[in-house]
Amino acid sequence: MPSGPSPEEASTSTVSRPTFKALGLIDPLLEAVEQLNYKQPTDIQVEALPHALEGRDIIGVASTGSGKTAAFALPILQKLWEEPKGLFACVIAPTRELAYQISQQFEALGSAIGVRCAVLVGGMDRISQSIALGKRPHIIVATPGRLEDHLENTKGFSLRGLKFLVLDEADRLLDMDFGPIIDKILKAIPKERTTYLFSATMTTKVAKLQRASLSNPVRVEVSTKYSTVSTLLQYYLFIPLSHKDVHLVNLANSLAQNSIIIFTRTVHDAQRLSIILRTLGFPAVPLHGQLSQSQRLGALQKFTSGNRKVLVATDVASRGLDIPSVDVVINFDIPTHSKDYIHRVGRTARAGRSGKSITLVTQYDVELVQRIEAVTGKKMELWATDKEEVALLRERVEEAGRLAANEMRDEASKGGGYGRKRRRDDGDDKDNRDRDDDVVEAGMPKKKKKGKR
């Protein structure tokens, strides 16, 4: 494994860290990183860029928020500058929102060389994507299901001339059972190519994918252990299961001046809680995999712009997305995997800022909390609660809950509904493939799906 500055060296000395110019970037890209205010390369960029610019395949092990998008985008753009061609690179990402974010970063970094990107994701109009492909983009950023769809059904589209393939968030791609689709895509692209595989963890599935898709790769790793940042304050609230809703509303009330992401396990609860909060006057918007793509992008835009202070989301929002300023993360449900907890709370306390996470713990969740504390090496502190304030809220919250249940029943009878078989919502690319609805705050997809806790 290539050597690089230790975390201690990185934190105590910035003099020894190389500049983007020293790493070998050309002038148009140096201008782009300066315009984007990238002061210094991050650890993963320092480790990956020299090997990538030499043309090597890369395995990058790095957590979300580490700067890995630029670590694979910059060498691709530099090679494109040297050999301007048609379709040049394909990036495969697990979620639609991450795909859009990657495309935006490619376009920002490649603005000086006129790079053209096309995004192929489910939930958006297939015909307009086919038209975009007809304009010969340099970079395609896609979720697996929609990319496979275009390879099979879009006349004249192929990946036979591809020079670069990037598999981003590979562990999540495989967690979401995209393995068989990725195998098909690998058969449709040339073996003579450069491949970058980035993952937060190296599971057995990822190792198998690495063997199938990379040739003599260099492994660069800047994150060997799951951990939370030191600027994050972690709290828990121990409550009976039946009191979760009222305690959540009490938290939203006491933290009303903050931007808050509330994570739920199910689509049903994300939608239900957003309705309850809005009924009680909180500016909340839902984000989950059963909204159309334009609704999801609209929800994100409202939250990141500050137009809505509360985002109620499933794990669709837990990884990859760069939401600049989140003050508080609330876990309404505890995730069953510790790494999912770390990704969730990683939405706050980013880039050296401070942040809080508060986890609602019921009598059924104690073992999960102990497991998370063992993995992170940190004990959560008890969040102080005024019991009288909570008691005063109970009646209003219960009434709001009844109104939310009625609203969701009404929508279900019209053909909407939330939370089908999946206990967790991963925003699978195959859901809502052809939907391109207008953004509405509580828009309902047409398929009838039964809610489930």
Side-chain angles (χ1 to χ4, degrees):
M1 192 178 107
S3 61
S6 69
E8 292 77 16
E9 289 170 337
S11 61
T12 56
S13 172
T14 56
V15 179
S16 61
R17 184 179 288 276
T19 62
F20 281 109
K21 186 170 185 177
L23 291 173
L25 289 187
I26 56 175
D27 288 341
L29 296 179
L30 290 173
E31 289 171 19
V33 296
E34 188 175 340
Q35 285 174 359
L36 292 171
N37 205 27
Y38 292 2
K39 301 290 186 188
Q40 292 180 316
T42 64
D43 290 345
I44 190 64
Q45 291 161 8
V46 168
E47 295 283 355
L49 281 171
H51 300 291
L53 292 171
E54 287 174 4
R56 297 290 300 275
D57 281 10
I58 302 287
I59 300 167
V61 182
S63 59
T64 182
S66 60
K68 58 186 171 56
T69 304
F72 62 71
L74 288 168
I76 290 172
L77 292 168
Q78 181 141 323
K79 194 68 176 174
L80 180 62
W81 174 266
E82 295 166 3
E83 299 178 21
K85 293 189 178 179
L87 180 54
F88 197 72
C90 177
V91 183
I92 299 177
T95 67
R96 307 166 190 178
E97 288 77 18
L98 181 56
Y100 277 102
Q101 188 171 288
I102 292 168
S103 172
Q104 288 163 2
Q105 196 151 2
F106 262 102
E107 288 175 346
L109 290 168
S111 57
I113 64 175
V115 70
R116 295 189 306 276
C117 294
V119 180
L120 309 179
V121 297
M124 299 301 272
D125 180 56
R126 196 186 280 103
I127 294 172
S128 61
Q129 291 175 359
S130 300
I131 293 168
L133 290 174
K135 294 179 180 177
R136 295 174 60 80
H138 302 110
I139 314 291
I140 286 173
V141 189
T143 47
R146 183 51 66 93
L147 179 59
E148 179 195 33
D149 193 324
H150 279 289
L151 284 169
E152 290 176 354
N153 300 309
T154 300
K155 192 175 179 181
F157 171 58
S158 81
L159 297 174
R160 285 194 294 271
L162 201 69
K163 299 296 181 187
F164 284 86
L165 173 69
V166 182
L167 299 164
D168 194 20
E169 302 270 9
D171 52 348
R172 182 130 187 241
L173 281 168
L174 297 172
D175 281 348
M176 293 165 69
D177 297 325
F178 282 130
I181 298 177
I182 291 170
D183 289 342
K184 283 186 186 178
I185 293 167
L186 290 174
K187 289 173 184 172
I189 59 179
K191 290 186 178 178
E192 293 297 316
R193 64 173 192 270
T194 305
T195 306
Y196 302 148
L197 183 152
F198 282 82
S199 184
T201 52
M202 283 304 294
T203 63
T204 24
K205 284 183 180 179
V206 173
K208 188 178 176 184
L209 178 61
Q210 165 207 323
R211 290 192 294 273
S213 58
L214 282 82
S215 172
N216 189 27
V218 174
R219 176 168 169 153
V220 294
E221 187 167 350
V222 298
S223 166
T224 55
K225 180 180 180 292
Y226 272 113
S227 61
T228 52
V229 296
S230 58
T231 52
L232 173 69
L233 301 173
Q234 299 176 66
Y235 298 93
Y236 74 94
L237 195 52
F238 191 62
I239 52 174
L241 180 63
S242 59
H243 293 181
K244 284 178 83 171
D245 287 1
V246 69
H247 277 278
L248 178 71
V249 171
N250 185 53
L251 284 172
N253 195 40
S254 61
L255 298 164
Q257 300 308 309
N258 296 270
S259 60
I260 305 169
I261 298 183
I262 299 165
F263 281 106
T264 69
R265 186 176 294 123
T266 65
V267 170
H268 179 273
D269 271 343
Q271 193 68 25
R272 184 181 67 83
L273 292 171
S274 68
I275 296 170
I276 288 173
L277 289 166
R278 282 204 307 273
T279 301
L280 295 171
F282 295 97
V285 64
L287 176 64
H288 53 71
Q290 289 182 21
L291 294 173
S292 72
Q293 184 57 39
S294 52
Q295 288 167 347
R296 287 160 67 170
L297 291 173
L300 266 180
Q301 193 277 329
K302 286 177 182 177
F303 184 68
T304 54
S305 68
N307 191 24
R308 296 288 186 274
K309 298 288 279 186
V310 182
L311 184 71
V312 190
T314 58
D315 280 314
V316 160
S318 69
R319 282 179 70 168
L321 298 183
D322 185 17
I323 303 172
S325 180
V326 178
D327 301 317
V328 183
V329 167
I330 298 175
N331 289 302
F332 182 78
D333 298 305
I334 301 183
T336 49
H337 298 291
S338 300
K339 68 177 184 179
D340 291 331
Y341 170 86
I342 291 164
H343 286 303
R344 286 181 179 188
V345 300
R347 298 301 92 208
T348 185
R350 293 170 79 82
R353 291 187 290 267
S354 61
K356 296 184 184 76
S357 70
I358 306 166
T359 299
L360 302 188
V361 182
T362 73
Q363 61 269 39
Y364 306 108
D365 302 322
V366 175
E367 189 180 334
L368 290 173
V369 172
Q370 290 171 339
R371 196 183 304 163
I372 288 166
E373 289 178 335
V375 169
T376 61
K378 292 181 180 177
K379 290 279 185 186
M380 298 183 202
E381 296 178 29
L382 180 65
W383 180 267
T385 304
D386 186 323
K387 292 182 180 178
E388 288 184 9
E389 279 184 11
V390 174
L392 289 170
L393 283 170
R394 186 163 296 131
E395 192 175 326
R396 290 178 61 208
V397 173
E398 287 173 356
E399 176 60 23
R402 285 190 289 273
L403 291 170
N406 290 336
E407 183 176 326
M408 294 179 74
R409 265 197 303 273
D410 289 345
E411 291 296 341
S413 68
K414 296 173 188 174
Y418 293 95
R420 198 168 35 169
K421 296 175 185 174
R422 267 179 289 176
R423 184 173 53 79
R424 293 169 55 202
D425 169 44
D426 290 315
D428 190 333
D429 183 54
K430 295 173 194 171
D431 284 348
N432 304 316
R433 276 183 152 191
D434 296 311
R435 299 300 309 282
D436 192 19
D437 301 342
D438 293 329
V439 176
V440 290
E441 230 169 75
M444 307 289 182
K446 291 175 184 174
K447 293 181 182 177
K448 188 170 182 177
K449 299 183 180 182
K450 295 180 181 177
K452 179 179 176 182
R453 277 300 306 272

